[in-house]
Amino acid sequence: MKQEILNEAPEVLKKFLGYLQTVKGKSAKTVEEYYIDLRTFFRYLKVHFGVVPKDAIFEEIKIDDVDTEMLRQVGLTDVFEYMNYLASVRDNHEAARARKASSLRHFFRYLTNKICELESNIIEELETPKLAKRLPKFLTLEQSKKLLNTVNTSGLKSKERDYCILTLFLNCGLRLSELAGININDFREDGTLRVIGKGNKERIVYLNAACKSAVQNYRKVRPNDELKDRKAFFISRQHNRISVKTVQALVKKYLQLSGLGGMGYSTHKLRHTAATLMYQHGGVDIRILKEILGHENINTTEIYTHISDYHVKNAIDANPLADINN
């Protein structure tokens, strides 16, 4: 847990974050996100209950004195007003409000059911903001081939590494953090890759011929001397483990070089691309796709089934008779 959290968080929040990290196995990044969400809520409570001056600068309000006694005063109406504050004052969109509502739900459930500091959980009646369903943005098969070809013919010193990175993204649907976290010994002799996903959950990814070839070609040129992290598979120019920011930058660079820049594509869109290509062109069953992507709930994976419906509608609309009315 970050020192900032240890210094600024009240005791009740530290215990909750510790529970998330040690018992629930949440990643450090996830724990920090919970902290940020609940810090906003605690600051709001101090303003709402008049504990701090009305002209206090919100971002400078300390929360280390928030205790269970203050939390016992919170009613469902207070939480509704907080959600309204997030939308009207802080301009949080639906996804941000939904995440904050989820953080509150987990926190108050912990206070009620795990440590019994509250008699009842008033958050149970809090409805999560409804999120608009959007189709994932992805590259077409031809665009994907074009992107890979741009890397392969770039002539850059790092082209083997970069080609391997993009190949794994487009074929395996890895998350950005999963790719950056790959170690040398995560590649198995049976042609599989061990991946550590969200919540520190391990899964095995099967590598196809394209991935195996890209990995082998990168191994031939991968630096071996003066490495600061000898376990890391993908190495930066500074001989460190490649960072997520570096991966994001190189993906953006090749998208620009291939004429796909400025179209809203990103590393995460490459994950969407892999899933879409497997579902549309490979006929992969949705349950298998769920395991490949490391989704906890199949509802998350089902968004890819709607893509076919979208293309079916477009095909019907493209009929030259579509605009003829009687």
Side-chain angles (χ1 to χ4, degrees):
M1 202 179 301
K2 283 188 174 182
Q3 192 61 42
E4 174 195 358
I5 298 176
L6 295 174
N7 292 340
E8 298 181 5
E11 197 62 30
V12 64
L13 183 52
K14 287 179 188 175
K15 290 180 179 179
F16 171 64
L17 298 177
Y19 164 78
L20 290 178
Q21 194 163 17
T22 57
V23 179
K24 302 298 289 183
K26 300 294 184 183
S27 67
K29 182 181 178 182
T30 299
V31 170
E32 185 177 3
E33 288 171 349
Y34 271 97
Y35 167 70
I36 292 171
D37 286 345
L38 292 169
R39 180 181 62 185
T40 301
F41 178 64
F42 287 178
R43 284 172 173 170
Y44 171 82
L45 287 183
K46 294 187 71 172
V47 174
H48 185 65
F49 290 148
V51 179
V52 295
K54 290 184 178 180
D55 59 350
I57 299 174
F58 190 85
E59 284 70 22
E60 296 180 1
I61 296 175
K62 295 185 179 299
I63 62 167
D64 57 352
D65 57 344
V66 174
D67 55 17
T68 51
E69 189 59 39
M70 180 181 291
L71 296 172
R72 289 191 190 102
Q73 299 176 37
V74 179
L76 187 56
T77 301
D78 299 317
V79 180
F80 286 149
E81 291 177 5
Y82 170 65
M83 299 305 292
N84 181 59
Y85 162 80
L86 293 175
S88 60
V89 179
R90 297 188 71 83
D91 198 26
N92 282 185
H93 50 70
E94 290 88 349
R97 299 202 309 275
R99 192 196 68 214
K100 287 181 171 66
S102 177
S103 295
L104 285 177
R105 193 171 287 110
H106 282 87
F107 178 58
F108 275 83
R109 191 177 296 149
Y110 164 81
L111 293 176
T112 308
N113 301 336
K114 299 300 179 183
I115 62 174
C116 302
E117 288 288 347
L118 300 179
E119 293 182 4
S120 60
N121 185 1
I122 52 103
I123 302 294
E124 289 296 342
E125 298 299 322
L126 177 64
E127 297 176 355
T128 301
K130 189 175 181 180
L131 299 177
K133 290 186 178 180
R134 295 183 176 88
L135 292 173
K137 192 174 182 65
F138 58 92
L139 276 69
T140 65
L141 179 58
E142 290 306 314
Q143 287 174 327
S144 301
K145 290 179 179 179
K146 184 178 182 181
L147 180 62
L148 289 171
N149 186 59
T150 298
V151 183
N152 208 23
T153 59
S154 66
L156 297 176
K157 188 176 180 180
S158 61
K159 73 172 186 177
E160 288 86 1
R161 182 200 67 183
D162 300 348
Y163 186 86
C164 185
I165 286 174
L166 290 177
T167 298
L168 290 176
F169 272 139
L170 289 168
N171 283 273
C172 304
L174 300 182
R175 296 181 178 94
L176 175 58
S177 59
E178 292 170 349
L179 183 131
I182 293 175
N183 291 325
I184 291 182
N185 58 7
D186 288 334
F187 292 94
R188 309 294 180 85
E189 292 183 1
D190 61 358
T192 61
L193 170 65
R194 171 180 172 267
V195 171
I196 304 300
K198 278 187 175 181
N200 208 31
K201 292 179 182 177
E202 178 180 320
R203 73 179 188 278
I204 301 300
V205 175
Y206 290 84
L207 302 179
N208 59 23
C211 292
K212 291 176 183 176
S213 176
V215 168
Q216 185 177 6
N217 289 336
Y218 171 56
R219 281 184 185 274
K220 295 175 182 177
V221 298
R222 177 183 173 275
N224 291 309
D225 300 326
E226 300 179 3
L227 297 182
K228 298 175 182 177
D229 185 348
R230 304 196 69 84
K231 293 181 180 179
F233 183 64
F234 290 114
I235 305 299
S236 70
R237 292 178 182 176
Q238 293 74 33
H239 287 212
N240 289 315
R241 176 186 296 274
I242 198 168
S243 68
V244 294
K245 287 185 177 180
T246 299
V247 176
Q248 289 172 322
L250 73 86
V251 169
K252 183 178 180 180
K253 174 181 67 179
Y254 288 115
L255 285 168
Q256 292 284 358
L257 290 174
S258 58
L260 298 170
M263 300 171 67
Y265 296 126
S266 63
T267 52
H268 196 65
K269 300 303 183 291
L270 300 187
R271 173 172 161 85
H272 287 325
T273 299
T276 304
L277 294 179
M278 281 186 274
Y279 184 78
Q280 285 191 342
H281 298 273
V284 178
D285 183 86
I286 191 69
R287 289 164 295 182
I288 296 175
L289 192 58
K290 169 183 174 291
E291 297 303 317
I292 293 173
L293 296 175
H295 285 161
E296 189 170 330
N297 194 311
I298 199 167
N299 292 336
T300 309
T301 320
E302 283 178 344
I303 189 171
Y304 298 104
T305 66
H306 300 308
I307 296 171
S308 292
D309 297 336
Y310 172 76
H311 286 290
V312 168
K313 178 183 181 300
N314 279 356
I316 298 297
D317 290 339
N319 190 310
L321 299 177
D323 295 328
I324 297 179
N325 299 311
N326 58 13

